[in-house]
Amino acid sequence: MVKTWNMKILAFSGSNSRTSINQELIKYSTQFLNVPVDIIDLRDYELPMFSIEEEEQNGHSNVLMSLYNTVIGYYAYIIAIPEHNGNFPAFFKNVLDWLTRVERSFFRGKPILLLNASPGPNGGKSVLSIAEKSFPFFDGNVIDTFSLPQFGSFITDKKINIEQTEIIIKINDSIEKFEQSLKFEYAKA
């Protein structure tokens, strides 16, 4: 296990839903971490739909710069990405588009754990695969992925309740890999 260091993790979901199952997965999974974690809601950073014209006319908003400064201020990330038609939701893609306009490599080589909760049996594997392939373009260091398929079967009283040993082992393995990468990053700092 990793000791608690003076290192913080940023966790968020790529969903703009008030009842996001991916935001619930963020809350559930971060309880297993042995390092401090801050959870944000991307809905608090309202950005217009990206276009070159929008950027030329209005530049980078204070909201965008606030989000950018928040993101770059952390040592690592846990990101739960919903799957819409086999890809990123438009909301999350828009956030990525804006962040890359401030700095293409905004992840700055920092470790990332990718998560997905899905109501279907595929468990968002398509969107996780896309993120694994595209995040390196933003200098993201994807350490591992975890998907929770058939999310509805793990809800009790509006909270995640996982009792299946194999799923608990998988999420713990992903978190352990992530924490081991943090040890390495901490040693470099």
Side-chain angles (χ1 to χ4, degrees):
M1 291 287 171
V2 175
K3 296 183 287 185
T4 301
W5 303 310
N6 189 16
M7 168 187 291
K8 280 194 175 181
I9 310 306
L10 181 64
F12 56 89
S13 151
S15 175
N16 63 346
S17 170
R18 285 183 299 106
T19 58
S20 169
I21 59 179
N22 282 280
Q23 192 75 7
E24 286 303 312
L25 183 57
I26 285 288
K27 293 174 190 173
Y28 177 80
S29 62
T30 55
Q31 71 182 334
F32 298 108
L33 287 169
N34 294 301
V35 293
V37 62
D38 289 334
I39 299 173
I40 63 170
D41 188 333
L42 288 181
R43 292 178 309 131
D44 294 337
Y45 300 89
E46 192 173 325
L47 299 169
M49 184 59 69
F50 176 78
S51 72
I52 296 296
E53 290 80 12
E54 174 68 30
E55 185 180 33
E56 287 173 352
Q57 290 173 9
N58 299 309
H60 297 160
S61 69
N62 290 338
V63 172
L64 172 61
M65 294 312 297
S66 175
L67 176 59
Y68 168 78
N69 287 321
T70 296
V71 170
I72 66 168
Y74 286 82
Y75 287 91
Y77 312 98
I78 300 175
I79 306 170
I81 307 171
E83 184 173 288
H84 288 192
N85 299 318
N87 209 324
F88 296 139
F91 169 78
F92 184 61
K93 176 70 168 69
N94 189 54
V95 169
L96 293 175
D97 288 344
W98 276 112
L99 287 171
T100 62
R101 297 304 288 190
V102 178
E103 178 185 353
R104 175 83 174 169
S105 301
F106 68 91
F107 282 131
R108 298 181 174 187
K110 297 173 186 176
I112 300 170
L113 174 60
L114 294 174
L115 309 176
N116 173 274
S118 170
N122 185 36
K125 290 181 181 170
S126 296
V127 77
L128 291 176
S129 176
I130 291 167
E132 278 186 287
K133 292 173 185 161
S134 64
F135 278 23
F137 290 108
F138 318 131
D139 201 17
N141 178 13
V142 177
I143 302 301
D144 203 15
T145 66
F146 172 80
S147 66
L148 184 61
Q150 299 173 327
F151 181 81
S153 63
F154 300 105
I155 298 296
T156 306
D157 296 325
K158 298 183 180 180
K159 299 279 184 203
I160 296 177
N161 181 22
I162 299 174
E163 296 178 354
Q164 294 174 329
T165 305
E166 66 190 52
I167 294 175
I168 293 170
I169 289 171
K170 284 180 184 177
I171 195 166
N172 282 326
D173 285 349
S174 290
I175 288 171
E176 182 64 29
K177 284 180 190 175
F178 182 65
E179 287 188 334
Q180 289 301 317
S181 74
L182 299 180
K183 263 187 182 176
F184 178 73
E185 287 300 311
Y186 188 74
K188 287 188 338 186

